[in-house]
Amino acid sequence: PERYSVKETEAHWQKVWAERDCFRAVEDPSREKYYVLEMFPYPSGRIHMGHLRNYTMGDLVARFRRARGFNVLHPMGWDAFGLPAENAAIQRGVHPAKWTRENIAAMREQFKPMGLSIDWTREISTCEPKYYRHEQKMFLDFYKAGLAYRTEAWVNWDPVEHTVLANEQVIDGKGWRSGAVVERRKLAQWSFRITRYADDLLQAIGDLERWPDKVRTMQTNWIGRSEGARLRWDIEGRDAGLEVFTTRPDTLYGASFCALSPNHPLTLELAERDPALKAFVAECARIGTSEEAIETAEKKGYDTGLKAVHPFDPSWTVPIYVANFVLMEYGTGAIFGCPAHDQRDFDFAKKYGLPILTVVAPKDADVARFSADLAAGDEAFVGDGVAVNSGFLDGLSVTDAKRAAIEKVESLGRGEGTVQFRLRDWGVSRQRYWGCPIPVIHCESCGIVPVPEDQLPVTLPEDVDFEAPGNPLDRHPTWKHVDCPTCGKPARRETDTFDTFMESSWYFARFCAPWSESEAFDRAAVDYWLPVDQYIGGVEHAVLHLLYSRFFTRALRDCGYVGLAEPFAGLFTQGMVLHEVYKGPEGDWLEPGEVEIGQDGTARRLSDGAPVTVGRAEKMSKSKRNTVDPERILETYGADAARLFIVSDNPPDGDMEWSDAGLEGAWRYINRVWRLVARPPVDLPPVGAPVPAAAALDRPALDLLKRTHKTIAGVTEDLERFRFNTAVARIRELTNAIPDLKAETEGAGAVCRFALETAVRLLNPMVPHVTEAAWAVLGHDGILAESDWPEADPALCVDDTVTLAVQVNGKLRGNIEVPKDCPKEDAEAAALAVENVRAHTDGKTIRKVVVVPNRIVNIVVAG
Ligand code: ANZ
Ligand code: ZN
């Protein structure tokens, strides 16, 4: 067994695992379960390096937990609806269903050589009616519960493609594909009332202890809870007032203008009679609807000529502007501006010559000077302080002044204290073909009629064309024409389909029993397997997917489907895979395969030896041509080398730089371990031979035995905490120590076998194939995929040296490392030899040396 053939070995063990059905998950209430899930892939047709990294980590966790005795669920499926399938249909004339199914088949084959320990019997594909029929039922239940509703909403409308665009698809006010100037339109849309759970979703973040802090912060900010007040300003010469939302009612005496959103009803009303305002509104619409775009655009306003009356003082009025930075979707769509204490208002005031009135100043500041400096500078004062120039609020802290201002507003009947969330309801309508049909029918007499449950699923028609822009479902000659289920008159099917975030909001629960036909979930299975114990995926899903899933689980709970609120108990977000970029002499990007890096690090073009400029590692992208093909890597080096490189390179939450050198390093190490097993440094006793008691071992054997136990303890803890790279480093240290063992050492053979077997078992979750082979070479009949994790003996993990502090006259002067429980004289001699100790004892009389065993050496000197 000296030669190690990657291809044959990996294929062989994959076959063995499949034949023995090692990874099939079966509910067993007598056993503790562990559910590991990586975010399921979109079937683009090719796996990429991000997949390789993500699924390697998940597989490591699954194998580790299985060995630790857990009943592990580790499934795989496909997030199969979405736009790329429609684009393929448009560009290549292939039907989205065919394209998607073929891609799934191709990717399933590409995943197989990775040796993932997946229960393939649970595979799901979200574009199949047997999956989405349950989603349609959920929607109808949500509708009944008031969690789904239809409303008019502002959307980005692409007039060329005839479709709504997501904010991310609007670039510089234009459709990302059509290049057409995007219009803002009000359209009837289906929405989910995620805001009903805003407080709960926020509060519960505090209990997600095994989620990364950064993700918890992002969700907290996304939900965005603000305490403040709604208050009404009268408008001179009009009956209706203007309601604004503010988080700083304490700054009311610093107000110098009010501003409306360009989409505020009052704005639209005024624009009817004011062409200049109409033009301004159109200009604002070109920024798009995304908050980020609005935040970064230059602040601009339009003076409506109207005057708002201050709530605290009827003789005081301020101008009302329309301003491009006021969002219609937040608060009331209108604000009062206080330039001295808000940066946007400050910039706005400078631009339009509005007063800057200081109403908060640092405690004990000279208010006149402070105000003058503030108005002359270019920054608002947003810090803490006390109210000034503010009538009845003067002298109060910001917190107290807010409270007092709200009380006053309420007593005047001009508003009240409120809590405002940034979170918006979730619009789920898309004017697309390749999505789950929304199961409702529009009837002229009956209005919205849910499709009766016995008529589910509403399936997509297959005969669609993508020739014309717009939604093929809408254009289809017959599909949408149905009779109203209630009155029987001709009616129309809803032709919008669901946002594809819907399918990924409950797939993790479906994996618990994907074969269940009549029900979405088998309640016993769901109760057993959920929550997901370890979810793994990219941080780009930190907000939407994870928040929607948390909402969806709550909604499912309230509709009686499941019994829990939080779907993911543990979350890990892995970093990206990067690669250097290469530029040829003509300034064009070169692929890694086209470049040769010499011994001295200089890069040349393979084809002609022309010099190549090497740029820093960047996220792999087609445009810079720095992608690496996982299939080729698996083909050349095998899964184990790729997996080992992935987990040993960097902490798994950081980015990793892919390189041939790194991959080859992993490959060499695997071969080293293989040779060590095939040709151990000493003869091994037979399998199962006991390791002699510590007292019977010579020092080098005992040292290796202890190191082995410490490695078990360290690696176990590392894997539990996602410190994969340090786990690998520990195992490397262990395998590096094994060859030092000499045959004549008492106990060498038994300890060597123990160390080798341990290394192989600890490496198994990372490199499952070669370790199975090594296990067999070591003489075992069983296989590691079905074996237990090694146990560390705590007695052999204790350090046999201790660190003692050395003091001179009570002051710490150094530390010494000595054998545990060593004689006092030895500790004393070692302490006196420390250089810094000598510096403080030389030329002085040593009165006394006190040694507290294993703790401290105290030297008392005089003179
Ligand atoms: C007056 C004021 C004075 C404000 C001051 C701030 C500082 P957060 O913390 O995000 O909740 N605002 C309210 N509605 C808005 C909208 N639809 N679009 C843009 N801005 C809006 O922010 C709340 C603050 O943002 C509110 O408090 C309001 O400005 C502004 F010294 O009111 B403030
Ligand atoms: Zn009807």
Side-chain angles (χ1 to χ4, degrees), residues 609-788:
V612 168
T613 319
V614 180
R616 61 184 180 83
E618 292 182 34
K619 181 181 174 167
M620 289 189 180
S621 76
K622 288 210 181 83
S623 59
K624 296 206 171 158
R625 304 189 71 207
N626 63 337
T627 56
V628 179
D629 175 17
E631 249 189 313
R632 214 205 73 233
I633 285 165
L634 295 173
E635 178 78 19
T636 320
Y637 290 89
D640 285 342
R643 293 171 59 124
L644 184 64
F645 176 38
I646 284 170
V647 295
S648 53
D649 181 67
N650 235 359
D653 53 350
D655 293 341
M656 80 170 287
E657 191 180 334
W658 194 266
S659 72
D660 284 353
L663 183 58
E664 271 157 29
W667 157 260
R668 277 197 304 276
Y669 178 65
I670 287 171
N671 281 281
R672 182 133 42 88
V673 172
W674 176 256
R675 283 196 303 274
L676 201 55
V677 168
R679 263 178 282 146
V682 299
D683 287 341
L684 305 185
V687 173
V691 176
L697 296 174
D698 276 355
R699 188 79 209 183
L702 181 60
D703 282 349
L704 184 60
L705 180 66
K706 286 188 154 192
R707 181 188 280 279
T708 308
H709 279 282
K710 281 191 212 163
T711 307
I712 297 173
V715 168
T716 306
E717 206 191 310
D718 282 347
L719 296 191
E720 253 154 26
R721 302 191 178 185
F722 269 75
R723 292 187 306 230
F724 303 149
N725 56 324
T726 49
V728 174
R730 282 182 211 272
I731 304 171
R732 273 176 179 263
E733 278 176 29
L734 174 62
T735 52
N736 285 346
I738 295 174
D740 296 339
L741 217 51
K742 302 278 183 302
E744 51 283 10
T745 306
E746 191 56 46
V751 171
C752 185
R753 169 174 279 285
F754 178 65
L756 278 174
E757 290 188 348
T758 301
V760 165
R761 292 163 77 191
L762 296 178
L763 278 170
N764 176 258
M766 301 137 191
V767 288
H769 309 87
V770 67
T771 46
E772 291 282 14
W775 194 241
V777 168
L778 284 166
H780 292 270
D781 292 332
I783 70 171
L784 286 176
E786 294 167 356
S787 301
D788 289 344

Side-chain angles (χ1 to χ4, degrees), residues 177 228 546:
R177 247 181 355 180
L546 291 167

